[in-house]
Amino acid sequence: MRIVAILSAIAAISAGIIVLLGYFVSIPPLPDLRLLLTDWAILIAGMAVLVGIYNLVAVQMEKIRTRQKGGAYGALLVLSLIITFGFGLLLGPEDPWMRLAVEAVIVPVEAALMAILAVTLIYASIRLFQRRMDVMSVLFLLAAVVFMLAIMPTPFGPIPGDWFILLVEGAIARGGARGLLIGIALGTLLTGLRVLFGMDRPYGGN
Amino acid sequence: MIALGLLGFAALLLLGLTLWRRRSRAILRPIDAYERLNRAVGLAVEMGTRLHISLGRGSLATTRGGSALAGLAMLRRLAERTSASDRPPVVTSGDAALAILSQDTLQSGYRVAGAQEQYRFSTGRLTGLTPFSYAAGSMSVEHDENVSANVVIGDLGMESALIAEASDRENSSLIAASDDLSAQTIFYVSAQEPLIGEELFAAGAYVGAGASHEGSLLVQDILRWLIIITILAGSFLKFLGMI
Amino acid sequence: MLQIGEKPTKKNTGELEPILPEWLRDVRQQARESAEENAAQEAAQPKVQKNEPPDLLAGLASQAGADDDAIPDWLAGINPATAAKPSESPAREPAPSMAQDDRLSLMGEPEDLSDVREEKDELSEWFSRASEQPGEPFTFEPGESQDDLDLMSNLDASAASLQQPAPPKEEEDLGWLHDLEASAKRSAEPSAPRQDLGSMPDNASSQPSSGGEDLSWLNNLGGISEPSQPFDQPQGKPVPAQPAAPQEDLSWLDNLGRTEPSQPTQPPAAQEDLSWLDNLGGTSELPQPEPARPSSDVPDSSSPILSPRRTAPLSEEAENESLPEWLKSATEEPSMPPLGAGALSWFASHDLDGNQPAATQESSASLSGEMPGLSEETPSPPFGQAQETGGSTPSSESLPASNQDVDALFSMDVPDWLSNPESGVSDVSLQGAEISPAEAGASLAPVELPSWVQAMRPVEAFISEAAAGTEDQAPEREGPLAGLRGVIPLLPIGSSRRPKALSLTLQATDEQQAGAALLEQILAGETAARPLVTSSSVASQNVLRWVLTGLVMVVLGAMIGLRSQSMPVSTALPVEVSAASNAIANIPEGAPVLVVVDYEPALAGELEAVSGPLLDNMVLLRHPNLSFLSTSPNGSALVERLVSNTKINGPAPEGLGYQPGVQYFNLGYLPGGSAGVLAFIQSPQTAIPAADVENFSQYAAVIVLTDHAESGRVWVEQLDARKQSDPALASQPLLMVASAQAGPLLQPYVSSRQVAGMISGLPDAARYESVNNVPPGIARTYWDAFGIGLLLAIILITFGSLWSLFTGIRLRRAGAE
Amino acid sequence: MSLDLLSAIFGLIFTLMVFSYLLGDNPLFRVAVYIFVGVSSGYAATVVWHYVLVPKLFEPLRDPNQLVILVIPLILCFSLLAKLTPRISWIGNFAMAVLVGVGAAAAIGGAVLGTLIPQVQAAIDAFDFRAAPSASDAFFGLLSGIVMLMGTVFTLGYFHFSAERAADGKIRRNRVFELIASIGRIFIAITFGVLFAGVYMSALTAMIERLGFVINFFRQFIGI
């Protein structure tokens, strides 16, 4: 097993370094190798979806078999998944019947889930002071409310001074967002480097 | 060229600081959310309750994989620490490859902890292949599995509001971070102590995942100030019209 | 007779689950929501100590039950440090007993616990010799800091540490350090205390946070290998002691001290408790007929002897046990130690007669050292009460487990005569009332205790009487046993043969009564308040949800039902919107345009409303050939919906009459994220055979409809990289149509000119629509409802937050009062 | 019955079932959600099969020349099936390792080329007023540039992780860093406030769309 871990690490590091060099160095054949390896990764991720589907079904079947809480709902999930996947394999995703699955189930449920956030977000912001009563929370809610005020259409047109609010808050938000994005990029960079150095090996190696 | 230089510099710093950190531990600023996480882990072990760890839906074949890798590093450590628990944590993901990796990570963690028998394939779950189906599946886990704490770390978008709402309804603790700013905003308003910005990538260091995680935080600090200095100097020179 | 291995631990844990998570939440909320918790809130802590131990024992039992021998091994295996760093603690016994191993590995910090054992032994010895020393109360701290029972004090310490530091406590801690050093010098193994000191800062520094000692304690629970070197642990490398140890030691002590300010009024009572304990403590050491032997001599059979420390709190007596411990944490002074442990030490001390192994003597000695006096007189309640009055306590659910475990423990290694410890108490307590303080003082003479230990034997005849009597008795009204029932069994006076032995406990001084009264008061506050608060808060939360739902649905429904379009739309275009408008105007007539559908079905409604004006304007103005490419799996199915809702494929005159496969193409799904995008940019027809162009630069414009800043970023980054090698792409505008939540995140790319123009959210779309005279579409239809919805949200958030703020402040004031 | 009507009826039913969650978690909501998870997962798997595996893996196998190139990914892909059996799941580790390695490299490339360099460049370019059409534009540009610069710098500085142990034993950052962090916290709070407004507007638009769908359905049903 140890040799497997070592070979896996070698595979990950070499693939990663080739792709990374393909990003920054345009010396042939690095860019082509990068595309080839990313294609492989896409294929592996695609095959992983089939394994994941099995996992999804197996977990629900286990719930049904052991009569766990929600087992009956699990049966619904498995049934709908198998029917959709079965028909999808036969008919293809562009078939009108498959589009029906999207139009009749996926879009309505997702859109409705998104819609209920219009209530739950208000609820969460009302309860914010019950969670944290500090100046940052006050600033947060103040900024949100003022920004919505500046955006809000009224029967008399936009509120006076809306442009100034949008200018100042927009500038602050752009600056803050830029700082956050740069920070996240730094974190991503270092996380990726840890994997490329074999310090993190989530692929089964210790 | 600049990018390659930055990359090489970061790599060298990471190697050096990691080696250094193996000799002396870094002192990092306290982050309330991670203190809460460490308490939640210990209490879940102690009380026999379930920990729900959600790794988001960042596909590793895309650029969104960074946060997923950070979540996996944290998961590995949490797996070791919860290996003595009556109820092993449930790990949910919205990406199939990530779900497989979460199973591998759980197995590795338990193996190192000498508790292989704790591993069940059903503890590393794919709850959906699209963002909202993943969130909906995770809501069900929160509802059905007697979860005492939800640790949501990874790539999530607006669907994170559903997970936060379910956690609130189930009255379970929520420790959440995402690399997406919309999700961070939602967690900022929903979680007791929000994890914002790059704090997501500090998860490993704060749960004790090793010197490399500490080292990478120090490299982040060094690069951070280099970038700040570059921006300030560049802005000034640009204002003067010198560049 | 039941064996430990036969305990169905999961069942026990399952019984506890309904209680524990709720308690956990309550304690968390107390720790978080209030900076200065009042006594009633802090009273939640006894529940911790009351409820936690069963799980600890359950954990042990379950492992035993699952696999008598293997499980301790793997539990021990949880801590590679034991294998990785054998020489790290030279003073430690080389081979701890299986039971210790088991326990220690569950705690995950063998060094510390073995150290604790040593330390407690020294402390107890020190107690027995110098019980009048004023500084000695603090000598409880080290032992307790590593005691698995002070979970809540650890939790609250870290919680309180977020609120307030406690410099004075630090000095006390330093004083305690000196005391510890002093006691260490007197101890048989001088190196042990230093080792403890060395190990404590390691624990404290195991987490870099202010709650360090709390986190290290949690690491112990989690069974991680090296709480003292958490970051190096995965490498499994032993790390030498840190030079910063003293500092970290201070911080650890500081963390201990942090809880002090939360109970400024209690110390006097606590002090009294301590002095009282110390008086009793004089006798506690004496049962030890011999010094502690290395635990390597200890046979495995000692395991059940150690475990009851966790079992005891399950019983009614556990409550009593936890109360003084809790009172300690409430008063933030080291106070009355856990009676359960005392019970154990008493139990162990009697076991000495029953060929008790050396390690057990050692630990029992240390325990009795921790809680002198109690070790003698309190043991009877744990067992007698556990079986009879446990049901009347809040922890009644956990009672069966505790009884089984306790019985099992007795049945395993303990001589039968010891399995009924009440007898000792029954007659002890019986006599207590008659004993004068003078006699009590005399009873503390060391020489008397061994005889008392031996004299325990004949008393077993009283057990049944005592047990039967307890149910009928009224609870004690005063003294340290206040609120307990059956501690003093109704037995005929004279049934005891040792009037002097344990008489002191029943001598309640005024201070003890004050402490007990405070305890009762706090207990009453705790038991009364919690259920009401939670139920009402849950109800109010649901009501709030329903009210918000009703308001939003009714108001928006009315606006949509009325089809109101009365609100004017501003004609002032934001810079990025006008830039997008200009870019559309510059697209050549009939040129191919790539439209990337990169949003989830959840946001289809918004993205269709936001992209409609731009797409309609472009089709009306330039009649381009549209190629729809999806980078999300569901995207390709959303294309048809998009073109129909934006009336692109609708029949004229209402629609724009575009035909699929003629004026617009659905290229389908492009997998692979950035790699897929790069592949498509490099060679569209290779990536998607159905692509209508050979070269990406043939697209006159790229319009990305996205709900996610990351998706936009992928296109930005890949196009930027490609533009460096393909100058033809430089003139190709990249336009973003973004969801309102993604817009601000894409702004940096707009201001960096990587994105030529952007429409983000309904307001931009409505403005674009009205400025460019696009036929009114979805954006205009939604506009009025959007305005009213925003107004409603502003009002609800503002007044709701003010209400939240007001109630929060009121609660804090109430708490302060 | 046309597919459009069928999808409208199902859409209405599922929308109302999901809305019932606002009254509390209930079986209707859970039925809708579980069916949704099954259907969306099945559809996504279908898309992956038809758009990824078939065109990129299976169809090219017909061409012997492609076979040589595809043999490695083919082996890697099928080795993943070993993950279905824990006993031999290690066989799939190589495939996952390649995926993780490529993903890490993609993440690094995206972070450096997609965010770090462009964002730093954009922060600097905000002070380029040579193209400003008027003095007032230049003034407002400068004002906004300064605010953005402060926002970027203080927000970035807020996250500084390294700290030190103070004399009182508490762990805290250097005073300068603490000052920067406390200012950065203000920018972060305002930034999140603005982002929250955006998030809410998206949710509100979705709510309007769903309510509009329900109301229009009944309106057409009644014939108004």
Side-chain angles (χ1 to χ4, degrees):
Chain A
M1 291 307 277
R2 182 125 187 87
I3 190 73
V4 173
I6 293 169
L7 290 176
S8 307
I10 291 170
I13 293 168
S14 48
I17 288 175
I18 291 170
V19 172
L20 194 59
L21 288 176
Y23 261 103
F24 297 99
V25 184
S26 53
I27 302 168
L30 286 175
D32 297 335
L33 277 176
R34 173 198 164 195
L35 280 181
L36 181 71
L37 283 171
T38 42
D39 266 349
W40 290 6
I42 292 166
L43 289 174
I44 293 168
M47 185 59 87
V49 166
L50 301 186
V51 178
I53 288 291
Y54 170 83
N55 172 271
L56 189 55
V57 171
V59 167
Q60 297 303 326
M61 294 303 286
E62 171 114 342
K63 279 171 77 175
I64 297 164
R65 197 169 51 252
T66 56
R67 301 181 186 284
Q68 289 177 32
K69 196 177 175 185
Y73 300 115
L76 276 176
L77 189 155
V78 172
L79 201 66
S80 54
L81 190 152
I82 290 172
I83 291 172
T84 314
F85 189 44
F87 276 100
L89 289 180
L90 295 174
L91 306 173
E94 302 305 324
D95 184 86
W97 285 98
M98 290 306 290
R99 203 166 291 146
L100 176 69
V102 175
E103 293 280 335
V105 181
I106 297 176
V107 171
V109 172
E110 280 206 19
L113 284 171
M114 184 73 199
I116 61 177
L117 299 189
V119 174
T120 57
L121 288 177
I122 294 180
Y123 173 76
S125 44
I126 287 175
R127 288 199 61 207
L128 177 59
F129 283 133
Q130 291 171 11
R131 294 193 177 89
R132 296 193 306 277
M133 201 178 294
D134 55 13
V135 182
M136 294 306 109
S137 305
V138 175
L139 268 176
F140 169 83
L141 286 179
L142 203 64
V145 166
V146 169
F147 194 79
M148 283 197 254
L149 264 176
I151 292 277
M152 182 184 70
T154 70
F156 323 102
I159 64 164
D162 63 331
W163 65 272
F164 184 75
I165 295 172
L166 294 176
L167 176 77
V168 174
E169 276 209 61
I172 293 175
R174 275 198 291 278
R178 180 171 284 150
L180 290 167
L181 287 173
I182 291 175
I184 290 168
L186 282 176
T188 308
L189 166 66
L190 270 299
T191 304
L193 283 176
R194 277 204 311 271
V195 172
L196 292 190
F197 284 138
M199 296 165 172
D200 287 351
R201 298 187 296 277
Y203 34 82
N206 291 347
Chain B
M1 201 56 205
I2 297 174
L4 204 57
L6 176 68
L7 194 62
F9 182 61
L12 286 175
L13 276 177
L14 178 61
L15 285 174
L17 287 173
T18 301
L19 292 174
W20 178 41
R21 279 300 156 210
R22 287 188 178 182
R23 295 194 196 82
S24 65
R25 290 187 304 277
I27 300 178
L28 304 171
R29 69 177 163 97
I31 297 179
D32 294 345
Y34 286 127
E35 288 177 15
R36 170 180 279 257
L37 167 61
N38 282 295
R39 277 200 300 273
V41 170
L43 289 166
V45 171
E46 190 68 6
M47 305 309 166
T49 55
R50 182 91 72 190
L51 206 63
H52 171 220
I53 302 168
S54 203
L55 298 179
R57 31 84 169 180
S59 168
L60 288 170
T62 70
T63 54
R64 299 183 188 182
S67 54
L69 292 171
L72 285 168
M74 178 203 67
L75 171 64
R76 163 60 189 272
R77 183 64 173 153
L78 293 189
E80 289 176 32
R81 290 176 57 179
T82 54
S83 56
S85 172
D86 289 342
R87 288 170 165 248
V90 173
V91 184
T92 57
S93 324
D95 177 73
L98 191 53
I100 295 172
L101 285 172
S102 70
Q103 291 178 331
D104 292 343
T105 306
L106 281 172
Q107 256 177 321
S108 302
Y110 289 147
R111 195 183 310 126
V112 168
Q116 288 96 322
E117 65 274 23
Q118 284 284 76
Y119 173 73
R120 301 281 180 280
F121 81 96
S122 58
T123 53
R125 301 180 186 176
L126 174 75
T127 54
L129 285 171
T130 60
F132 273 80
S133 62
Y134 149 70
S138 300
M139 289 169 76
S140 308
V141 170
E142 290 180 53
H143 184 275
D144 294 341
E145 301 280 352
N146 183 31
V147 168
S148 63
N150 299 284
V151 184
V152 184
I153 288 188
D155 173 53
L156 296 95
M158 289 188 69
E159 71 275 8
S160 56
L162 295 172
I163 297 176
E165 169 68 8
S167 162
D168 187 65
R169 286 185 187 236
E170 297 298 323
N171 209 9
S172 55
S173 180
L174 175 69
I175 299 119
S178 170
D179 58 355
D180 177 70
L181 296 193
S182 301
Q184 286 183 29
T185 305
I186 288 165
F187 290 142
Y188 191 83
V189 81
S190 309
Q192 197 80 40
E193 294 99 4
L195 281 167
I196 54 180
E198 64 201 82
E199 287 174 346
L200 177 153
F201 298 95
Y206 279 83
V207 298
S212 64
H213 289 258
E214 277 186 75
S216 52
L217 285 192
L218 299 186
V219 177
Q220 273 176 251
D221 282 347
I222 294 170
L223 293 180
R224 174 193 331 280
W225 292 105
L226 283 179
I227 288 171
I228 287 174
I229 291 166
T230 308
I231 290 176
L232 289 174
S235 304
F236 185 65
L237 294 177
K238 179 68 82 172
F239 180 69
L240 297 179
M242 296 170 68
I243 56 173
Chain C
M1 293 174 90
L2 287 171
Q3 302 297 319
I4 275 197
E6 296 167 8
K7 290 278 167 289
T9 311
K10 291 207 181 295
K11 172 173 164 288
N12 298 344
T13 313
E15 288 168 1
L16 291 169
E17 277 162 13
I19 317 171
L20 299 179
E22 187 168 359
W23 153 80
L24 176 56
R25 286 183 219 108
D26 293 344
V27 173
R28 282 203 182 115
Q29 279 179 344
Q30 286 175 9
R32 290 284 166 221
E33 290 172 1
S34 170
E36 54 281 333
E37 293 173 277
N38 59 22
Q41 285 168 320
E42 291 209 354
Q45 296 175 25
K47 277 202 167 188
V48 180
Q49 293 158 347
K50 186 169 52 193
N51 293 337
E52 167 199 2
D55 264 342
L56 279 174
L57 180 64
L60 288 173
S62 71
Q63 287 132 20
D67 185 351
D68 285 340
D69 294 328
I71 294 304
D73 293 343
W74 75 255
L75 269 178
I78 288 175
N79 193 344
T82 49
K85 313 191 311 178
S87 64
E88 194 167 292
S89 54
R92 201 184 319 139
E93 292 80 13
S97 74
M98 180 180 177
Q100 289 159 334
D101 202 3
D102 200 337
R103 216 177 103 242
L104 302 183
S105 13
L106 181 67
M107 295 299 294
E109 186 55 276
E111 301 93 324
D112 286 356
L113 284 183
S114 56
D115 295 346
V116 171
R117 199 174 58 246
E118 293 290 329
E119 176 185 317
K120 286 176 177 173
D121 189 21
E122 293 150 9
L123 289 176
S124 57
E125 189 178 350
W126 179 53
F127 261 90
S128 62
R129 289 178 186 172
S131 57
E132 280 80 21
Q133 286 182 11
E136 68 189 47
F138 293 106
T139 56
F140 282 115
E141 289 285 358
E144 287 161 6
S145 73
Q146 306 195 23
D147 190 330
D148 54 295
L149 287 180
D150 68 352
L151 158 65
M152 277 321 301
S153 56
N154 276 337
L155 284 181
D156 281 4
S158 67
S161 69
L162 299 174
Q163 308 294 334
Q164 58 229 347
K169 183 76 178 178
E170 206 177 323
E171 292 169 13
E172 292 164 1
D173 292 335
L174 286 168
W176 160 78
L177 271 179
H178 300 318
D179 293 342
L180 189 62
E181 290 289 354
S183 66
K185 285 173 188 139
R186 284 193 295 269
S187 70
E189 296 176 13
S191 66
R194 290 190 186 83
Q195 180 191 338
D196 298 339
L197 290 174
S199 70
M200 284 183 287
D202 277 347
N203 280 343
S205 61
S206 66
Q207 296 296 337
S209 64
S210 61
E213 104 285 358
D214 176 20
L215 302 186
S216 66
W217 172 85
L218 284 165
N219 292 343
N220 294 344
L221 287 180
I224 61 168
S225 52
E226 294 181 52
S228 57
Q229 294 99 4
F231 305 120
D232 297 322
Q233 184 273 342
Q235 283 72 27
K237 295 192 177 213
V239 173
Q242 298 303 313
Q247 270 190 354
E248 290 165 348
D249 187 8
L250 287 177
S251 78
W252 172 79
L253 295 167
D254 182 44
N255 287 333
L256 281 179
R258 282 204 184 108
T259 55
E260 180 176 40
S262 62
Q263 282 292 332
T265 62
Q266 307 311 327
Q271 287 287 5
E272 286 310 324
D273 288 344
L274 288 171
S275 60
W276 165 66
L277 289 174
D278 301 336
N279 293 337
L280 298 174
T283 60
S284 65
E285 282 309 308
L286 301 172
Q288 301 178 35
E290 56 188 16
R293 273 189 251 114
S295 66
S296 53
D297 304 334
V298 180
D300 294 350
S301 62
S302 61
S303 108
I305 309 298
L306 291 171
S307 27
R309 296 184 61 197
R310 292 166 170 73
T311 322
L314 270 175
S315 67
E316 165 75 10
E317 192 51 37
E319 201 174 2
N320 309 337
E321 166 201 357
S322 62
L323 302 186
E325 176 65 31
W326 162 81
L327 182 57
K328 167 193 72 64
S329 63
T331 56
E332 307 315 329
E333 281 286 351
S335 169
M336 198 183 298
L339 294 182
L344 213 236
S345 67
W346 165 88
F347 175 61
S349 66
H350 291 299
D351 215 351
L352 298 179
D353 291 345
N355 304 324
Q356 170 66 25
T360 316
Q361 298 169 25
E362 185 179 331
S363 61
S364 61
S366 67
L367 288 168
S368 49
E370 255 186 315
M371 47 219 65
L374 296 173
S375 62
E376 296 166 18
E377 59 234 10
T378 54
S380 61
F383 312 116
Q385 296 289 322
Q387 290 157 356
E388 290 163 23
T389 60
S392 65
T393 73
S395 66
S396 56
E397 296 89 329
S398 60
L399 191 54
S402 65
N403 293 345
Q404 289 168 353
D405 295 335
V406 171
D407 293 343
L409 291 165
F410 287 167
S411 67
M412 282 200 58
D413 304 316
V414 187
D416 286 338
W417 63 268
L418 267 181
S419 64
N420 296 317
E422 263 165 351
S423 53
V425 163
S426 58
D427 76 306
V428 158
S429 46
L430 169 70
Q431 304 303 325
E434 307 170 5
I435 305 301
S436 69
E439 289 170 319
S443 73
L444 293 179
V447 289
E448 292 183 354
L449 253 176
S451 65
W452 163 74
V453 173
Q454 289 174 353
M456 288 298 292
R457 236 175 239 281
V459 226
E460 65 184 294
F462 296 105
I463 296 160
S464 56
E465 300 172 42
T470 51
E471 277 173 345
D472 310 321
Q473 291 182 45
E476 290 296 312
R477 284 189 161 63
E478 60 182 20
L481 301 176
L484 307 185
R485 188 190 306 172
V487 177
I488 310 172
L490 298 174
L491 291 176
I493 298 179
S495 58
S496 165
R497 300 167 191 172
R498 290 162 312 286
K500 291 181 179 181
L502 300 171
S503 55
L504 282 183
T505 44
L506 301 183
Q507 298 300 315
T509 66
D510 295 344
E511 294 79 3
Q512 292 163 22
Q513 291 178 26
L518 171 69
L519 175 60
E520 280 183 316
Q521 178 191 348
I522 294 171
L523 263 183
E526 189 247 355
T527 49
R530 188 177 303 155
L532 295 174
V533 169
T534 48
S535 61
S536 64
S537 67
V538 167
S540 66
Q541 287 170 18
N542 286 333
V543 169
L544 179 58
R545 278 194 179 96
W546 296 335
V547 168
L548 293 177
T549 303
L551 279 171
V552 171
M553 293 280 185
V554 168
V555 172
L556 292 182
M559 292 303 293
I560 295 165
L562 293 173
R563 293 174 172 167
S564 162
Q565 293 194 6
S566 60
M567 290 194 186
V569 178
S570 166
T571 53
L573 284 184
V575 180
E576 60 271 16
V577 178
S578 57
S581 181
N582 297 336
I584 292 293
N586 294 331
I587 292 174
E589 179 74 19
V593 171
L594 179 69
V595 181
V596 180
V597 176
D598 188 8
Y599 55 84
E600 294 301 319
L603 288 129
E606 183 189 16
L607 265 297
E608 285 160 6
V610 176
S611 63
L614 182 135
L615 293 176
D616 289 349
N617 183 36
M618 182 171 62
V619 168
L620 283 168
L621 210 63
R622 295 295 172 197
H623 310 96
N625 286 336
L626 301 176
S627 300
F628 291 94
L629 177 70
S630 166
T631 47
S632 75
N634 291 324
S636 63
L638 298 174
V639 170
E640 284 306 316
R641 183 189 154 94
L642 172 69
V643 290
S644 64
N645 286 346
T646 52
K647 298 177 181 170
I648 289 175
N649 65 350
E654 281 197 1
L656 303 171
Y658 263 44
Q659 297 297 319
V662 181
Q663 290 105 335
Y664 77 92
F665 308 88
N666 184 356
L667 303 183
Y669 169 57
L670 176 69
S674 61
V677 169
L678 178 66
F680 187 81
I681 290 172
Q682 287 184 333
S683 171
Q685 288 183 335
T686 310
I688 301 280
D692 56 335
V693 297
E694 287 184 359
N695 194 334
F696 190 80
S697 58
Q698 290 176 282
Y699 287 120
V702 178
I703 303 169
V704 179
L705 317 182
T706 184
D707 62 350
H708 196 287
E710 186 72 16
S711 317
R713 197 196 88 175
V714 166
W715 283 92
V716 168
E717 116 199 0
Q718 298 304 336
L719 276 173
D720 265 15
R722 187 65 182 170
K723 278 174 184 173
Q724 292 167 8
S725 59
D726 185 357
L729 291 176
S731 60
Q732 182 186 65
L734 170 64
L735 304 175
M736 292 277 173
V737 176
S739 150
Q741 43 94 19
L745 308 181
L746 289 167
Q747 276 290 352
Y749 301 104
V750 177
S751 46
S752 66
R753 299 188 185 88
Q754 294 168 287
V755 173
M758 181 170 75
I759 297 179
S760 139
L762 204 61
D764 284 358
R767 287 177 176 145
Y768 187 98
E769 195 174 78
S770 101
V771 167
N772 293 292
N773 303 316
V774 180
I778 312 171
R780 190 68 190 85
T781 316
Y782 290 175
W783 188 240
D784 286 24
F786 181 79
I788 294 296
L790 273 185
L791 180 64
L792 184 65
I794 290 167
I795 293 169
L796 289 174
I797 291 174
T798 307
F799 288 102
S801 304
L802 287 175
W803 171 75
S804 249
L805 197 63
F806 172 73
T807 50
I809 291 169
R810 201 178 56 184
L811 274 175
R812 283 191 175 189
R813 280 188 185 158
E817 287 163 7
Chain D
M1 184 183 282
S2 74
L3 285 183
D4 290 344
L5 180 60
L6 205 60
S7 71
I9 292 171
F10 275 114
L12 175 76
I13 293 168
F14 278 111
T15 301
L16 295 177
M17 287 167 93
V18 173
F19 277 173
S20 70
Y21 184 69
L22 289 169
L23 304 175
D25 199 350
N26 64 79
L28 284 177
F29 171 74
R30 307 199 81 199
V31 166
V33 156
Y34 273 81
I35 291 176
F36 159 66
V37 171
V39 171
S40 64
S41 303
Y43 185 81
T46 305
V47 169
V48 167
W49 176 265
H50 284 280
Y51 282 107
V52 180
L53 294 177
V54 170
K56 289 179 181 287
L57 188 64
F58 298 134
E59 276 183 356
L61 289 176
R62 294 177 187 156
D63 178 2
N65 303 330
Q66 294 279 331
L67 192 61
V68 182
I69 306 171
L70 285 175
V71 65
I72 298 175
L74 198 67
I75 292 169
L76 289 175
C77 285
F78 279 100
S79 72
L80 263 190
L81 296 178
K83 290 285 178 187
L84 300 178
T85 316
R87 205 160 30 83
I88 56 166
S89 66
W90 59 269
I91 295 173
N93 287 358
F94 301 103
M96 296 314 295
V98 171
L99 181 61
V100 168
V102 172
I108 292 173
V112 174
L113 296 177
T115 303
L116 274 181
I117 293 175
Q119 289 304 322
V120 170
Q121 187 65 48
I124 293 171
D125 289 345
F127 288 86
D128 183 5
F129 304 116
R130 282 171 287 199
S134 69
S136 65
D137 288 341
F139 171 74
F140 281 115
L142 178 64
L143 180 70
S144 137
I146 290 172
V147 172
M148 274 196 290
L149 181 68
M150 288 172 63
T152 306
V153 167
F154 285 114
T155 302
L156 204 48
Y158 164 81
F159 291 102
H160 185 82
F161 290 103
S162 304
E164 56 199 15
R165 196 177 295 275
D168 61 358
K170 288 172 69 178
I171 294 172
R172 66 167 71 94
R173 288 177 286 197
N174 172 301
R175 283 185 183 180
V176 179
F177 292 148
E178 281 296 342
L179 177 68
I180 291 171
S182 53
I183 301 172
R185 208 176 284 122
I186 295 170
F187 279 97
I188 290 171
I190 296 174
T191 303
F192 279 142
V194 172
L195 294 178
F196 180 80
V199 169
Y200 183 76
M201 285 190 280
S202 292
L204 179 61
T205 313
M207 173 64 92
I208 292 168
E209 187 269 337
R210 275 297 94 187
L211 283 178
F213 167 77
V214 172
I215 289 170
N216 290 334
F217 180 89
F218 284 117
R219 193 177 264 147
Q220 288 171 5
F221 192 74
I222 299 165
I224 300 172

